Amino acid sequence: MNRDEAQRHVRSAFDAIPPVLRPFVVLVVPAVILHAMFMRTPEVLPALRTLPAETTATTGTQAKVDAPSQEEIATLIQQSEEFQAPKKAVCPRSLTEPGVRDNRLYTALRHAGYVIPPADRYGYTNPLVELTPEAHYDLGGDLDEDLHTITLVIGRKVFIAVDSITAPPQLLAPPLRYATRVGFSWRWATTNKIGDFLAFDPRSPRMTGVAYLQRGSNSLWHIAQIDFHDTSTSYDGAM
């Protein structure tokens, strides 16, 4: 359809409208069309999809913790001063001190035949606890004596295994907050017959510990702090 034919069709349609309605068609209809064009309700767009947060809480996975190998961890722990600290038993040297004859170490030494009898055949009573030559030979470097006390190493720590490697609790203050937390297990091992006699830890042979590891400026790992949960009996001289 060309332009002339279109104008004829429009003219024919307009002539078909009754004269009374023609002003309405000319004025009102265009206004209604313009109102519909500019005042229509805007289309509501769908909400943007929220991407899931990449956290360990929602995914159920645990972030990888920077840590040395378990062999390196075991070596660091066993080389620490705290791990190498032995278990010691102490008793007073003076027999005149109250309760000394009930001291656990004194009792064990006497039971092993390591204590020289305090009274000789002439009736002389030695006021100090004296040990036999066999005691010095058998106990060797575990034995330490001075004028006031006898101290004996009765056990040393034995490393068992690394139990866990995790990030430390955020409640910790720096610098431990940025360290790697290592849980491990260990036990005491007696070093001589006195330790065996005392049987200082018969109930809980396996104990736990916690070490916090950090990298130094040279990228080498070191222990920032180490704690041992020791449930064994103390033999520091208490009755």
Side-chain angles (χ1 to χ4, degrees), residues 135-177:
H136 291 91
Y137 178 82
D138 293 345
L139 302 178
D142 291 341
L143 182 63
D144 183 28
E145 299 177 87
D146 59 31
L147 293 176
H148 305 288
T149 58
I150 295 175
T151 304
L152 180 66
V153 172
I154 59 174
R156 298 187 184 277
K157 297 182 184 73
V158 175
F159 184 83
I160 297 178
V162 173
D163 299 326
S164 63
I165 302 175
T166 59
Q170 291 301 305
L171 296 177
L172 290 177
L176 294 185
R177 183 184 301 173

Side-chain angles (χ1 to χ4, degrees), residues 6-234:
Q7 288 179 346
R8 286 198 297 272
H9 280 290
V10 171
R11 183 66 183 177
S12 299
F14 185 78
D15 292 340
I17 299 174
V20 179
L21 298 179
R22 288 176 184 177
F24 174 80
V25 173
V26 174
L27 298 176
V28 177
V29 172
V32 172
I33 294 174
L34 291 174
H35 182 273
M37 291 175 60
F38 294 101
M39 300 301 293
R40 67 177 182 172
T41 302
E43 181 181 359
V44 178
L45 297 177
L48 294 177
R49 183 172 62 90
T50 303
L51 295 177
E54 296 182 0
T55 61
T56 57
T58 56
T59 61
T61 59
Q62 188 176 27
K64 184 178 180 180
V65 178
D66 184 27
S69 66
Q70 294 197 19
E71 291 77 11
E72 292 179 89
I73 293 174
T75 300
L76 287 170
I77 292 175
Q78 292 176 85
Q79 289 179 345
S80 67
E81 181 179 349
E82 295 85 352
F83 185 88
Q84 294 183 11
K87 185 79 168 179
K88 295 181 179 181
V90 180
C91 78
R93 191 70 183 272
S94 174
L95 288 171
T96 61
E97 185 169 327
V100 64
R101 297 180 187 275
D102 296 324
N103 180 277
R104 296 186 182 98
L105 176 56
Y106 178 75
T107 302
L109 291 170
R110 285 190 59 193
H111 185 273
Y114 287 159
V115 176
I116 297 176
D120 60 18
R121 61 182 179 175
Y122 300 106
Y124 172 75
T125 300
N126 189 345
L128 297 178
V129 177
E130 296 288 352
L131 301 181
T132 65
E134 290 78 13
H136 291 91
Y137 178 82
D138 293 345
L139 302 178
D142 291 341
L143 182 63
D144 183 28
E145 299 177 87
D146 59 31
L147 293 176
H148 305 288
T149 58
I150 295 175
T151 304
L152 180 66
V153 172
I154 59 174
R156 298 187 184 277
K157 297 182 184 73
V158 175
F159 184 83
I160 297 178
V162 173
D163 299 326
S164 63
I165 302 175
T166 59
Q170 291 301 305
L171 296 177
L172 290 177
L176 294 185
R177 183 184 301 173
Y178 311 110
T180 298
R181 184 184 187 277
V182 175
F184 61 93
S185 52
W186 62 283
R187 65 178 179 86
W188 286 113
T190 56
T191 58
N192 49 62
K193 62 190 300 183
I194 300 301
D196 294 335
F197 175 81
L198 291 173
F200 58 87
D201 194 26
R203 294 171 300 174
S204 179
R206 185 185 182 105
M207 287 171 277
T208 59
V210 175
Y212 293 92
L213 275 58
Q214 290 180 321
R215 284 187 184 272
S217 57
N218 55 1
S219 297
L220 296 179
W221 288 94
H222 67 277
I223 293 179
Q225 180 176 313
I226 188 168
D227 300 304
F228 295 89
H229 181 215
D230 187 358
T231 58
S232 64
T233 305
S234 173

